[in-house]
Amino acid sequence: MGDVLSTHLDDARRQHIAEKTGRILTEFLRFYEDQYGVALFNSMRHEIEGTGLPQAQLLWRKVPLEERIIFSGNLFQYQEDNKKWRNRFSLVPHNYGLVLYENKVAYERQVPPRAVINSAGYKILTSVDQYLELVGNSLPGTTSKSGNAPILKCPTQFPLILWHPYARHYYFCMMTEAEQDKWQAVMQDCVRHCNNGIPEDSKVEGPAFTDAIRMYRQSKELYGTWEMLCGNEVQILSNLVMEELGPELKAELSPRLRGKPQERQRQWIQISDAVYRMVYEQAEARFQGVLSKLQLARPAMEAVIRTDMDQIITSKEHLASKIRAFILPKAEVCVRNHVQPYIPSILEALMVPTSQGFTEVRDVFFKEVTDMNLNVINEGGIDKLGEYMEKLSQLAYHPLKMQSCYEKMEPLRLDGLQQRFDVSSTSVFKQRAQIHMREQMDNAVYTFETLLHQELGKGPTKEELCKSIQRILERVLKKYDYDSSSVRKRFFREALLQVTIPFLLKKLAPTCKSELPRFQELIFEDFARFILVENTYEEVVLQTVVKDILQAVKEAAVQRKHNLYRDSMVMHNSDPNLHLLAEGLPIDWGEEYGDSGGDRGEGSCSPGSPEAATLSEKRRRAKQVMSVVQDEDTGLPFQAGSEPPSPASPDSVTEVRSLLSQDLRAESPPPESSLLNGDPAQESPQPTVAPRASSPPTSPAQHLPPGKAVDLEPPKPSDQETGEQVSSPSGCPRIHTTTEDGLGMQTEF
């Protein structure tokens, strides 16, 4: 590898790459500095005026999955240095960085990991043929002839490959199809989370950055969605540079690569990764320097905005009126002829899979709570409640249980429309909808937890508890239906704008864009940092189509399509005290309602003894490394789809509810299960209380042995995607740019 890089990336070429990268960054950062002032003004105006969005009925968890591990297990990784496959112990912390250790012993001894992979921008491939096709397309003229050895050979039929257009690739394989499916779901969760690397609570820096990206690409005549708008700011900026630098390097270096096709492909992957690292380091330094300068200037800018807010708004409205008078006739004709006829079909294409996904979220939540309630009846009431609720609290972050919800978005197509509106991929819409699904599931679970915790303070009996669980479930489902309708309608509006606005801007550019500079004289010099002609022009264009989009979504709600609520249906303060309950400390179900005697083994310890303190410390530390993805049947022995001990299995919601109100047989301990880590699972013992009930087949467990006292903070994902640097985790962001229309409504496109 060193010879390849030293040959093709000598000092002269590295200097050329650095200079080219510097020019691109300088041009982009001018856009970013311009957009920063606009975003700051929009943020402060939004705080004053508000948006009037409907109040959410569900609570939301402020610190989800802190100090938890999503998944852990073993998998085989291909080592490019010695061209061999090695068994690695891998885990995914709550921040979704895929961490690879030499083995499990290395993890337990706190040996630093071999790699921490930030998967932003990666694609998950499940076949070598898929991978070879992408690699062949990335370097034309290197397609392997029949009989030639491919670039990669997999020892099993179940590979998982992380492919990136610029950075290095990662190769894994599993022994069974079930393991492959499981790891694919987990890694797809990592990609989904890491792709959204700009924090949601970044109200100035985030919008300024995404608007600058859009403005920069539009200056290059690049409109429409961009697949590589994923990751944190530095990753996105590196992708932006590579989008322009990559083809130039490829054209220059590909004729100089030597060897068979697969060898030339391997060389290009190494070169591209090395260049990506260089670009990343340069982009990080430049971006952080400009960001620091803007943050130092922010207090002075805020003071000007507070003092002159009314004048700035008046000046902007005057500018908008002049631009509107100029472009409105052309824009309305364009909307009427090229956009309006297609809005219903785009909306329908979005509504069907999205609504199916949210319905599946509701069904999964209902099933999990119902299963838990059945087991409270059969397994000891409150004594087991802590264990069940601990698992339920992590439902939204369980990749396997949420997979059936996420899969509903996969059929999303914009057939015939994708090319017309220059939508490069629907993946941006799929991932955004999937993130909304996860958020709504977690909100429903957290609201259920909060209400149940309040109910437990009344000291209910087992029978009263089961009835209360059912009552709370129905209460939460009503709130979920309302919130999911609001979230989906907002998602549809944003998606429609994201599809249509770039198309309109591209259509209007030849006749309108060259005339925009003459409007600059209408902006007072003191306000030039907060009002830009280009942004105001785009807001005017947005207003020409937003009315049709709002009307289309409203009509779908009036027709009760896909269980959307009408806008007039508002739940005002239906639970005025509910949000006060969420202000307390997070609920620790294991500590408050766990089976305190279940882990003591042969001997018992008094509460004040050193042995008890040691057990408590072990349990605390084990909880930090416990995998959320439990062995599939180590959970609830009685499920809504299995046969309970007394009456026949309920076939409807009504029968389940009637069953929950009955006093069933005495409870018995749940079946014990082995704690595995990526190994083939063994069959779970059947519950003794119900010999006819069948447990689902076990699957490989994904958590560490709770007896291990490993107090290791999970490594944070690498920003550089190469597994060699560790940085702070990122929150869930908005995917695309946000502007503000004349009504103060924030819109993404």
Side-chain angles (χ1 to χ4, degrees), residues 488-693:
R488 280 180 289 142
K489 286 191 292 184
R490 188 165 66 249
F491 168 71
F492 296 147
R493 291 192 292 263
E494 292 169 352
L496 284 168
L497 286 170
Q498 194 172 330
V499 170
T500 58
I501 293 299
F503 172 80
L504 281 174
L505 293 173
K506 187 176 182 179
K507 279 281 185 182
L508 295 171
T511 57
C512 297
K513 200 165 184 180
S514 60
E515 299 293 325
L516 294 181
R518 67 185 176 91
F519 293 100
Q520 186 65 39
E521 63 186 24
L522 299 175
I523 303 174
F524 292 117
E525 186 178 352
D526 293 344
F527 304 154
R529 296 201 67 176
F530 315 117
I531 305 173
L532 297 180
V533 171
E534 189 79 17
N535 289 63
T536 309
Y537 162 71
E538 292 195 356
E539 289 179 16
V540 171
V541 173
L542 182 150
Q543 290 164 10
T544 62
V545 72
V546 73
K547 180 173 64 176
D548 295 311
I549 289 174
L550 293 175
Q551 183 62 30
V553 176
K554 182 179 179 180
E555 289 175 0
V558 169
Q559 297 168 14
R560 297 287 295 179
K561 275 190 173 183
H562 307 293
N563 200 30
L564 289 176
Y565 287 177
R566 296 189 304 273
D567 292 343
S568 58
M569 202 168 188
V570 181
M571 297 173 66
H572 289 296
N573 296 323
S574 57
D575 272 319
N577 297 320
L578 178 59
H579 287 268
L580 297 178
L581 297 176
E583 298 301 320
L585 295 174
I587 303 168
D588 191 330
W589 292 101
E591 290 293 331
E592 291 190 42
Y593 298 98
D595 184 4
S596 59
D599 294 336
R600 291 185 181 179
E602 298 177 359
S604 62
C605 307
S606 62
S609 65
E611 291 82 3
T614 303
L615 286 173
S616 175
E617 176 67 10
K618 284 185 177 181
R619 174 174 291 176
R620 184 191 70 79
R621 300 171 79 180
K623 182 179 176 183
Q624 292 180 1
V625 297
M626 183 70 69
S627 173
V628 171
V629 184
Q630 305 288 344
D631 197 348
E632 288 302 310
D633 60 339
T634 61
L636 306 180
F638 299 108
Q639 299 184 356
S642 63
E643 189 176 6
S646 186
S649 297
D651 294 324
S652 69
V653 173
T654 305
E655 290 178 83
V656 170
R657 290 173 178 167
S658 64
L659 175 63
L660 293 174
S661 65
Q662 299 174 14
D663 185 10
L664 300 181
R665 295 182 183 178
E667 59 275 8
S668 66
E672 296 180 359
S673 60
S674 56
L675 301 177
L676 308 173
N677 279 280
D679 300 323
Q682 310 203 353
E683 201 171 313
S684 274
Q686 301 291 331
T688 56
V689 141
R692 290 180 296 164

Side-chain angles (χ1 to χ4, degrees), residues 39 42 92 118 127 204 221 233 279 499 544 573 603 698 741:
N42 288 339
V92 179
N118 184 310
S127 78
V204 177
E221 304 297 327
E233 291 91 341
V279 169
V499 170
T544 62
N573 296 323
T698 57
D741 64 14

